[in-house]
C-alpha cells in the first residue's frame, strides 16, 4: 500500500475555515509548530499529538521575524517535499505551510514581546528572536484554533516563554513540553546539525558531554551555581574549535537565577558555536 502525502494548506483563510469546521463538528485539535527540515525530534512530538486530540495539525514555516539580520534565515533548510514524505505514515490531518507575505503583510505592526524571560540566555545573542517566536506562535494558535500545542524542551527558553504567553494572554491552550530526542552519541537532534561538517560534528559532542559534567556535579551534591557553571565552561574550553556563548543554571519554573545556591528544581541551559553553527542544548538537573 502506498501512503498518500498529508493535506497541505497554504492560505490563512483556508486554515481558519478548516479549523472552524472541525470545532463545529466537536473535534479537538493538537498542534505542532515547526520550521521544517523535519527529524525524529519533530516526529516524536507529532506521534504524541495523536494521543491528545482528534485532529493533528503541523505547521512548517521558516519564520523570518525570529532571525536576526546576520543569521541563517536565507540558508535555513527548506525541504517541504521530504518533510511530507517523512510524516506520511503519521496521523496528520493538515500541514499548514503559509507564505511569509501573507503572515507579514507590508503594514504588519503588532508584536508579542516577553519582557523578562527573554532577556537572558539566548536573548542577548539573538535580539528580537523571542519577539518573533512569540508573535508567530500566537498567530498560528489563532489560525489553527488548537486546544493543545506540543513543543520540545530542546528549546527550553522558548517553551517557558510560550507557557508564559498563554498564561498572560489567557489563551485556552494546553502546552505540552516534550523530552529532547538525541543521536545515539548524545547530540540533540536539530535541523541545524546538517550544517556541521565531519570535524565539527565530532567536536559538537563536547556540548552534551559538558552538560553531563554539570549534571553529575549536581547529582553528587554540589549546589553552587558558579561552581557548576565554571566546570561546564572548563569542559568546553578543552576544545578550541568551540566558542561558548553561555552555560547557566536557572530555575525550571521561571528561569530565574537568584543567588549562588541552587534551591529549586533547576536546568542547565547552554549555547555554543562550532564551525559557524550555533547549537543550543540543556539538561534538567532535578531538585
Ligand atoms: P523547529 O523546527 O526547530 O522550530 O522545532 C519545532 C519544534 O520541535 C520545537 O518545539 C522544538 O523544540 C522541537 N524540537 C526540535 N528539536 C528537537 C529534539 N531534538 N527533540 C525534541 N523536540 C525537538
Amino acid at each position: 500500500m502506498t501512503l498518500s502525502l498529508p493535506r497541505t494548506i497554504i492560505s490563512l483563510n483556508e486554515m481558519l475555515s478548516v479549523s472552524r469546521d472541525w470545532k463545529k463538528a466537536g473535534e479537538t485539535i493538537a498542534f505542532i509548530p515547526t520550521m521544517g527540515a523535519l527529524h525524529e525530534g519533530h516526529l516524536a512530538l507529532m506521534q504524541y499529538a495523536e494521543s491528545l486530540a482528534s485532529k493533528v495539525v503541523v505547521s512548517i514555516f521558516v519564520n523570518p521575524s525570529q532571525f536576526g539580520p546576520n543569521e541563517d534565515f536565507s540558508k535555513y533548510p527548506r525541504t517541504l517535499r521530504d518533510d511530507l514524505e517523512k510524516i506520511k505514515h503519521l496521523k496528520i490531518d493538515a500541514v499548514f505551510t503559509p507564505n511569509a507575505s501573507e503572515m507579514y503583510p507590508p503594514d504588519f505592526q503588532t508584536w508579542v514581546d516577553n519582557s523578562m524571560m527573554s532577556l537572558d540566555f539566548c536573548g542577548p545573542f539573538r535580539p528580537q528572536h523571542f519577539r518573533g517566536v512569540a508573535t508567530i506562535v500566537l498567530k498560528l494558535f489563532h489560525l489553527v484554533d488548537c486546544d493543545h500545542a506540543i513543543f520540545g524542551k530542546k528549546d527550553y527558553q522558548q517553551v517557558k516563554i510560550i507557557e508564559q504567553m498563554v498564561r498572560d494572554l489567557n489563551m485556552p491552550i494546553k502546552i505540552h513540553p516534550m523530552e529532547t530526542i538525541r543521536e545515539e552519541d548524545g547530540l540533540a537532534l536539530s535541523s541545524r546539525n546538517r550544517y556541521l561538517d565531519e570535524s565539527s560534528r565530532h567536536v559538537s559532542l563536547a556540548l552534551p558531554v559538558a552538560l553531563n559534567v554539570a549534571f553529575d556535579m549536581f547529582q553528587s551534591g554540589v549546589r553552587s551555581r558558579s561552581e557548576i557553571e565554571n566546570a561546564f565552561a572548563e569542559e568546553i574550553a578543552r576544545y578550541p574549535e568551540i566558542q561558548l556563548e553561555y552555560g547557566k543554571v536557572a530555575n525550571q519554573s521561571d528561569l530565574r537565577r537568584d543567588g549562588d545556591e541552587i534551591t529549586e528544581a533547576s536546568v542547565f541551559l547552554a549555547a555554543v558555536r562550532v564551525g559557524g553553527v550555533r547549537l543550543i542544548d540543556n539538561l534538567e538537573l532535578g531538585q
Side-chain angles (χ1 to χ4, degrees), residues 33-35 39 41-42 45 76 151-152 154-155 158 179-181 189:
T34 82
M35 297 206 300
H39 52 63
H42 298 117
L45 309 189
Y76 197 87
F151 289 84
K154 156 81 169 36
D155 300 279
Q158 170 173 285
E179 294 308 321
T180 300
I181 307 294
L189 295 186

Side-chain angles (χ1 to χ4, degrees), residues 68-82:
N70 300 316
E71 293 184 355
D72 57 350
F73 173 67
S74 57
K75 74 168 181 143
Y76 197 87
R78 289 161 173 87
T79 57
L80 182 59
R81 175 80 205 188
D82 281 0

Side-chain angles (χ1 to χ4, degrees), residues 219-282:
Q219 289 298 303
S220 67
V222 180
R223 290 294 178 273
S224 160
R225 211 180 288 281
S226 53
E227 225 177 288
I228 296 178
E229 290 170 359
N230 290 340
F232 175 89
E234 274 168 32
E235 183 63 32
I236 294 288
R238 292 174 52 204
Y239 303 85
E241 306 91 331
I242 304 191
Q243 295 88 50
L244 176 62
E245 282 194 351
Y246 66 85
K248 293 181 173 181
V249 181
N251 293 345
Q252 286 178 22
S253 58
D254 53 11
L255 299 186
R256 287 175 68 112
R257 299 164 32 75
D258 298 329
D260 191 56
E261 194 192 348
I262 302 168
T263 54
E264 276 193 38
S266 294
V267 54
F268 198 104
L269 302 151
V272 299
R273 287 187 160 275
V274 191
V277 183
R278 186 170 189 274
L279 300 176
I280 61 169
D281 200 353
N282 62 80

